[in-house]
Amino acid sequence: MPAVSKGDGMRGLAVFISDIRNCKSKEAEIKRINKELANIRSKFKGDKALDGYSKKKYVCKLLFIFLLGHDIDFGHMEAVNLLSSNKYTEKQIGYLFISVLVNSNSDLISLINNAIKNDLSSRNPTFMNLALHCIANVGSREMAEAFAAEVPRILVAGDTMDSVKQSAALCLLRLNRTSPDLVLMGEWTARVVHLLNDQHLGVVTAATSLITTLAQKSPEDFKTSVSLAVARLSRIVSSASTDLQDYTYYFVAAPWLSVKLLRLLQCYPPPEDGAIRGRLTECLETILNKAQEPPKSKKVQHSNAKNAVLFEAISLIIHHDSEPTLLVRACNQLGQFLQHRETNLRYLALESMCTLASSEFSHEAVKTHIETVINALKSERDVSVRQRAVDLLYAMCDRSNAKQIVAEMLSYLETADYSIREEIVLKVAILAEKYAVDYTWYVDTILNLIRFAGDYVSDEVWYRVIQIVINRDEVQGYAAKTVFEALQAPACHENLVKVGGYILGEFGNLIAGDSRSSPLIQFDLLHSKFHLCSVPTRALLLSAYIKFINLFPEVKGTIQEVLRSDSQLRNADVELQQRAVEYLRLSSIASTDILATVLEEMPPFPERESSILAKLKRKKGPGNLHPDLDENRKERSANGGTADHSSTTSNAKVLLLSCCLLIRMTHCFLIVTVTSPKVAASPTPSTDLLGLGSTITTQNSAPPASKGTSLLVDVFSENIAAFPVETPVAVGPVADENFSRFVCKNNGVLYENQLLQIGLKSEFRQNLGRMYVFFGNKTSTQFMNFAASVPADPTVDGGAQLQQILNIECMSDFVDAPVLNIQFRYGGTLQNVAVKLPITLNKFFQPTEMTSQDFFQRWKQLGAPQQEVQKIFKAKHSMDTEVTKAKIMGFGAALLDGVDPNPSNFVGAGVIHTKTTQVGCLLRLEPNTQAQMYRLTLRTSRDTVSQRLCDLLSEQF
Amino acid sequence: MIGGLFIYNHKGEVLISRVYRDDIGRNAVDAFRVNVIHARQQVRSPVTNIARTSFFHVKRSNIWLAAVTKQNVNAAMVFEFLYKMCDVMTAYFGKISEENIKNNFVLIYELLDEILDFGYPQNSETGALKTFITQTGIKSQSKEEQSQITSQVTGQIGWRREGIKYRRNELFLDVLESVNLLMSPQGQVLSAHVSGRVVMKSYLSGMPECKFGMNDKIVIDKQGKGGASEEAAAGKSGGGGGKQSIAIDDCTFHQCVRLSKFDAERSISFIPPDGECELMRYRTTKDIILPFRVIPLVREVGRTKLEVKVVIKSNFKPSLLAQKIEVRIPTPLNTSGVQVICMKGKAKYKASENAIVWKIKRMAGMKESQISAEIELLPTNDKKKWARPPISMNFEVPFAPSGLKVRYLKVFEPKLNYSDHDVIKWVRYIGRSGIYETRC
């Protein structure tokens, strides 16, 4: 490239730059730049034509100002003018400015393109080079559109200079990267391949890069390049270091070209032609041989260049994976590098070995280096190298050395760097499972894992332990014993408590024979950890406790005591509270038979691939050296097999215990729940025992044959198609529009839509009630799989009516009414209806007659402020005295005439009966006909009752 | 409590470094340089927190003063100290510049030892400091003198020594104000305020007791009609309208003023330090006399031309003269040439500042003058519109734009035999422009 001669040096530019450099402060610099910009603007104004020199000078100054970080918004036109100059320096500056400053959507682009076109056809090699460089630098879509056809033509033209060919190849490479769709394969492709035979090594290097990229796009078109590449490679490899003159770098012949050729060969499988194949093998052997030779220079560049070629050759060997001798040699060569003092070499050696380990030919060879690798893991200073060592250990692990490797990794885990701990934990867990011959060893390993690095043990790992323990009878006893021992440590990790709680809950009975681990001791041990754990763990422990009740009836009292304690029964956490309440009820009400059914041992999990593998794959992400080439390589990578990406699956399984319980309980719970509205009124829909709308309980409506535990597991898998019953439509909002009408009466239509009518007839005495529910099919077709909250007849004939009787008992005062869920299949679709049952507190009212004196005496006794609730509200209906009287009586209270001094007021009295207590209630209703308002006052011995009754009654007027 | 104090030049080289507390390490010096002085983006906040260390800085020309602390100090105190430090340095060796600081570094360390003790600010009164920190070499003081200095510095009136004698008792009072304005193109005042200082230079014998009075609204209202005659006497020097009293929004006083007395009776009485001191600082926002009105007229003629016409009107008594008037008219960033015509003064296009600067030496009240300019523009491919920054103005007028007037300054010295009438008093008003801008 012609240098800028002395006479051509721009003095003004030099002065300007030195001025800027001498500026003392930022402000001074900005002032100087402003001044210069104003000067350039006045020069560019176009009154007088500028000569090429000054144009060049000012454009240079603008470039310099731009590079200092200021915005330049003019001068583009002048730069474009420079492009048409005949002087090299002016043209060069013009192109420089365009490359740096012109953005692709500029309106000058057509002018620029025109200038470039002129230069490309000029036959002057320097100008052509400049133009090609500019195209490559800008690389915009417009450029690609304009020149995608032109550049290949220049590339393959016979009379093009070598340097231009080189530029054209690289320019085309760039265009192919930015807009691959515009670079079309044509007849030039065949001729491009022949550039590999070019005399000029520079052209060959550029062409190899281009061909490698294009070959990935369309391998077929460039198949012929393999033989040429091999020929070229063998010529380079076999040449003496002095042969290639300019292309010998520190005694290594054309290292860059060699590396590129080797990469190109990695795009294709091993050549089929024996001769070529032999030649390639020869080349690779020569490269491996050369690595053994003593270095020709002590300079680091020499060894770098040599090793670059060597590693690329090894990559190719691994890619071909067909020559056992070469693979073993490569492995041995890498083994030497493992102990090299250069850290980079050790890293690369470990990384390459990782891929080598997956090849069947070299796996054994890799294994011979196990000691070195383990040593590297322990003594290496650089964490990234240690990470590679872990990868390699993982890759080289098999049945024969699994125990040793897992033990080493476990011991390393204690000192490992925090950033890689989780990955090591996953790897240990996978290896332990994969190569476990003896499941006691597996259990030991995982428990140790949790002990050493509990924080890094993800949920997947411990889910997996439990899956395995449950599926294998032979380890259950051992696992119970081991976790029991592990839990005895004064401080143990929460994950260990989880595993311990689960396993002891399932298999605690297997070790209960030993007096050192009697049921009570087991329970105490678990419960001693209870208060240190987070909510999910506590929930799990509660489930374990209820399982204990089934396993060991002798500890029932102790456990009930724990469940009954305020810290459980009134826990702030809804989940814990609910579990405590439900388990307590379950343990006190259900018979041992029911308990045994509900709390039966978990069924085995279906065998499917470990979710930990999926997790490890996610963690790894893209981290390899050549993103271009690794697609095919990845598939052969160590992990092997595919994992289903259902991370949710295992998650769901943890819930299994409690959910399974739920399902098994449903049919025996119905009586319990209906008779105890307070329980039914639990706030979370998913745990609502009556909530038949949730996925779990749809099972209940299925034919009894499918109501098995084996199916339960599939509820949580994503494989919905395996379901005998389609997923139900979502539960609609709970219908309660008729609810308030039933406050003062007991019979009527509760719910009606175009398909279904629900009628109601109920009677109440004291704290007991009976409710008849009539389901009427309004259509002419049959409802299939009909299910209400009580197991009803699975079919309802068209026009037919079905009756259901509910027995109700009021346990204590309550607010929310139970919900009746109805499900049936009409036509093809599943219908869901949720109706609030009109069971309200006032239904348990017994009227009491009393005199005026009695009334006011009691009225005064109930004078505490929390006992009285008063509400003033506007009348919604006409204020008819008779209707009001009827309503109060319907509400359940006795209407006392002549008690209140004001005859227009209404006074009532009654007693609410619940199972445990009786609550006396007095009420007083004062209508104001002028204002159309009522004042309702309620006094009862319980504040909650007063409030609820007041709310109920006030809505009636 | 200040942990250390550093002074840097514009390149970030440390000129003075004084560390008072052990929690400030050596790397704090570099932290400030890297994160503030050499920051990629200009740091605008005067307080910077780097690695749990706070840096408070002020900049005087090219010099950075930074106070460093690791504690939760009163930031206002630290800045007050830094400003005081600047004042002290100015009083000792004039302008704060790199050269002056390098030449006086021994003196500065001596001062720093005196005015900061373990990070706690001490007496920073220049007058007091000058009695024991001198620049005239080591002059051994007699025992008597030393004990006198000690008693004075530690005494109740630390800012004035006893036994001062002048043949002529003189007193100079300067009211210095800067007026800030932002006005819309239509002449609507968007914001305006005046910040003022009363600077006193006294050459009085003995320990005189002074009393200062001004037309503070609260005092005038309190006195009612009783003080009318006094006002007539004092109200002559004003430039603007016939305002009787002004409302002061807030004010601060020199430490010599008895604040208890001000709180109780709103009278300002004090024993002044010898020489110059800033008696009070104040701020007003109501009824400000705006000395100049700027009327801009900008017309865009096509894409390549801009016509600007600016009229300025002076708005005060015709007998007064404003000085050093400078109008700065910003020009667009793609200006390629400017022609200016003005009736009065000199106007020039300054490319380095992207503005036309119009200077007028003197201008009397109730006059007007105008400038017109033709600006040629270079068409650019940039679609951004010119933001039209406001036209700013600088000037100096011989009255107080806030309307403040000195009503009296009485001097009593019971021990010596000179009375209030014997003291020669001079009062001067100077109003300067602060940020005085008009949008166009």
Side-chain angles (χ1 to χ4, degrees), chain A residues 239-258:
Chain A
S239 68
S241 60
T242 45
D243 286 0
L244 299 167
Q245 305 240 331
D246 288 350
Y247 289 86
T248 301
Y249 178 80
Y250 287 89
F251 307 106
V252 183
W256 279 277
L257 181 53
S258 313

Side-chain angles (χ1 to χ4, degrees), chain A residues 554-601:
Chain A
E554 64 267 33
V555 293
K556 184 172 175 180
T558 323
I559 291 173
Q560 281 184 328
E561 202 52 50
V562 168
L563 290 176
R564 198 175 290 129
S565 69
D566 271 0
S567 60
Q568 312 299 350
L569 220 47
R570 303 206 179 149
N571 196 298
D573 189 86
V574 174
E575 176 67 28
L576 289 184
Q577 189 184 30
Q578 181 170 6
R579 284 196 191 209
V581 169
E582 284 171 3
Y583 291 161
L584 185 58
R585 283 249 120 231
L586 179 67
S587 65
S588 52
I589 287 177
S591 68
T592 41
D593 283 351
I594 293 176
L595 266 184
T597 321
V598 169
L599 303 169
E600 197 185 318
E601 193 175 293

Side-chain angles (χ1 to χ4, degrees), chain A residues 612-920:
Chain A
I612 340 183
L613 263 180
K615 165 125 184 173
L616 183 67
K617 279 182 187 167
R618 274 205 306 279
K619 250 191 101 60
K620 289 289 258 187
N624 280 314
L625 272 182
H626 326 297
D628 298 341
L629 296 176
D630 342 282
E631 290 311 317
N632 42 8
R633 213 185 278 171
K634 249 184 212 159
E635 285 168 17
R636 305 148 153 270
S637 71
N639 292 340
T642 51
D644 60 340
H645 292 273
S646 55
S647 58
T648 48
T649 318
S650 40
N651 243 330
K653 274 186 189 149
V654 198
L655 290 171
L656 233 149
L657 180 78
S658 68
C659 295
C660 178
L661 264 177
L662 251 170
I663 300 158
R664 286 172 178 172
M665 282 188 288
T666 11
H667 66 271
C668 58
F669 252 52
L670 278 161
I671 305 157
V672 181
T673 42
V674 176
T675 53
S676 157
K678 193 159 190 195
V679 176
S682 59
T684 46
S686 64
T687 49
D688 188 343
L689 289 180
L690 267 179
L692 292 180
S694 68
T695 19
I696 308 155
T697 33
T698 44
Q699 286 305 311
N700 201 28
S701 62
S706 65
K707 190 169 47 176
T709 41
S710 61
L711 219 140
L712 288 175
V713 178
D714 271 329
V715 174
F716 305 104
S717 77
E718 287 169 6
N719 189 5
I720 291 165
F723 242 99
V725 177
E726 276 93 336
T727 34
V729 289
V731 190
V734 174
D736 60 353
E737 62 267 312
N738 287 341
F739 185 78
S740 65
R741 288 206 288 126
F742 281 86
V743 170
C744 294
K745 60 179 194 173
N746 287 332
N747 306 328
V749 174
L750 178 62
Y751 177 84
E752 189 163 13
N753 64 10
Q754 62 268 42
L755 304 175
L756 180 76
Q757 185 189 50
I758 303 171
L760 211 62
K761 211 169 150 185
S762 50
E763 47 193 16
F764 294 88
R765 264 192 66 229
Q766 298 200 327
N767 68 328
L768 296 174
R770 180 168 295 165
M771 188 174 267
Y772 302 88
V773 187
F774 301 94
F775 299 102
N777 186 346
K778 288 165 73 182
T779 63
S780 54
T781 51
Q782 215 172 43
F783 290 165
M784 302 291 287
N785 291 358
F786 189 88
S789 49
V790 204
D793 196 348
T795 56
V796 177
D797 290 328
Q801 242 193 15
L802 193 81
Q803 187 187 2
Q804 194 171 26
I805 305 171
L806 302 174
N807 286 318
I808 299 151
E809 183 181 4
C810 179
M811 306 299 287
S812 67
D813 62 289
F814 61 97
V815 173
D816 286 340
V819 178
L820 176 70
N821 284 288
I822 301 139
Q823 233 178 32
F824 54 92
R825 186 183 295 269
Y826 168 68
T829 55
L830 206 56
Q831 305 280 336
N832 258 318
V833 175
V835 184
K836 242 188 196 177
L837 284 177
I839 303 169
T840 50
L841 193 52
N842 65 300
K843 301 287 182 200
F844 306 95
F845 231 135
Q846 288 290 302
T848 321
E849 293 290 341
M850 55 177 79
T851 62
S852 171
Q853 196 189 356
D854 275 346
F855 181 85
F856 280 109
Q857 194 188 350
R858 294 195 184 188
W859 184 262
K860 280 185 192 113
Q861 276 168 2
L862 296 171
Q866 69 271 20
Q867 289 172 334
E868 187 195 78
V869 174
Q870 195 169 61
K871 199 167 177 184
I872 298 169
F873 53 92
K874 204 158 183 71
K876 280 179 247 165
H877 311 285
S878 65
M879 299 179 78
D880 190 321
T881 320
E882 289 309 309
V883 174
T884 310
K885 272 186 184 166
K887 275 184 178 167
I888 290 176
M889 279 156 82
F891 192 65
L895 192 66
L896 308 179
D897 274 327
V899 167
D900 202 287
N902 184 344
S904 60
N905 288 356
F906 303 94
V907 169
V911 177
I912 299 259
H913 289 261
T914 71
K915 193 182 178 187
T916 47
T917 52
Q918 300 190 345
V919 183

Side-chain angles (χ1 to χ4, degrees), chain B residues 96 229 235 254 323-324:
Chain B
I96 298 176
S229 61
H254 189 261
Q323 286 181 308
K324 299 179 192 167

Side-chain angles (χ1 to χ4, degrees), chain B residues 56-69:
Chain B
F56 305 78
H57 76 262
V58 296
K59 211 182 163 198
R60 286 282 177 278
S61 61
N62 276 332
I63 300 296
W64 300 74
L65 274 91
V68 194
T69 182

Side-chain angles (χ1 to χ4, degrees), chain B residues 251-298:
Chain B
C251 53
T252 56
F253 293 102
H254 189 261
Q255 58 166 330
C256 65
V257 175
R258 294 191 184 90
L259 291 178
S260 55
K261 232 168 174 183
F262 179 75
D263 288 339
E265 329 163 7
R266 228 175 150 86
S267 75
I268 302 163
S269 68
F270 53 95
I271 296 171
D274 195 38
E276 192 172 319
C277 79
E278 190 186 276
L279 185 63
M280 79 178 278
R281 240 184 268 175
Y282 61 90
R283 200 168 65 90
T284 71
T285 47
K286 286 204 188 73
D287 301 322
I288 293 164
I289 306 153
L290 298 173
F292 285 96
R293 166 100 159 80
V294 178
I295 304 158
L297 230 151
V298 180

Side-chain angles (χ1 to χ4, degrees), chain A residues 1-225:
Chain A
M1 212 185 272
V4 179
S5 66
K6 197 84 183 159
D8 214 23
M10 293 163 281
R11 223 183 104 70
L13 178 67
V15 168
F16 173 60
I17 293 175
S18 76
D19 274 2
I20 295 271
R21 292 201 172 140
N22 287 334
C23 281
K24 288 227 161 157
S25 63
K26 188 107 186 151
E27 292 77 30
E29 187 184 309
I30 290 170
K31 274 191 176 175
R32 180 70 185 88
I33 286 170
N34 279 339
K35 197 175 151 198
E36 195 59 45
L37 282 176
N39 177 33
I40 298 172
R41 278 194 301 261
S42 66
K43 289 290 193 304
F44 279 176
K45 239 188 71 204
D47 295 347
K48 46 213 173 289
L50 285 172
D51 57 353
Y53 168 77
S54 25
K55 244 186 224 167
K56 180 182 79 178
K57 185 175 74 183
Y58 294 127
V59 168
C60 259
K61 283 181 178 174
L62 285 180
L63 249 178
F64 183 73
I65 292 170
F66 177 77
L67 296 180
L68 283 176
H70 300 264
D71 281 341
I72 297 296
D73 50 9
F74 64 98
H76 301 80
M77 199 55 220
E78 282 70 20
V80 174
N81 285 345
L82 281 179
L83 294 186
S84 51
S85 159
N86 275 326
K87 278 198 184 136
Y88 169 75
T89 51
E90 289 167 20
K91 217 185 237 314
Q92 184 209 16
I93 295 294
Y95 273 122
L96 186 59
F97 188 91
I98 301 289
S99 309
V100 173
L101 266 154
V102 173
N103 45 0
S104 48
N105 52 2
S106 164
D107 38 358
L108 289 172
I109 210 88
S110 61
L111 279 174
I112 296 167
N113 282 354
N114 213 11
I116 291 176
K117 212 161 261 172
N118 285 340
D119 279 340
L120 283 184
S121 53
S122 70
R123 314 242 141 245
N124 179 337
T126 20
F127 290 177
M128 284 170 90
N129 265 341
L130 279 177
L132 286 168
H133 291 172
C134 181
I135 297 171
N137 275 329
V138 176
S140 66
R141 203 157 174 86
E142 288 79 9
M143 288 277 183
E145 270 163 14
F147 302 108
E150 180 81 0
V151 177
R153 201 183 50 70
I154 295 172
L155 179 61
V156 295
D159 53 351
T160 319
M161 297 259 302
D162 288 338
S163 64
V164 179
K165 271 189 192 165
Q166 219 171 326
S167 300
L170 293 176
C171 179
L172 195 59
L173 178 62
R174 159 80 176 172
L175 292 184
N176 184 51
R177 277 189 191 146
T178 53
S179 26
D181 53 317
L182 291 175
V183 180
L184 301 171
M185 302 292 166
E187 27 77 56
W188 54 271
T189 45
R191 300 174 70 182
V192 166
V193 172
H194 284 282
L195 286 177
L196 287 176
N197 270 337
D198 201 282
Q199 295 290 313
H200 194 265
L201 274 190
V203 176
V204 182
T205 313
T208 315
S209 293
L210 176 66
I211 293 169
T212 308
T213 314
L214 292 176
Q216 280 159 25
K217 201 161 124 186
S218 49
E220 276 310 303
D221 291 348
F222 294 91
K223 228 171 173 173
T224 45
S225 65

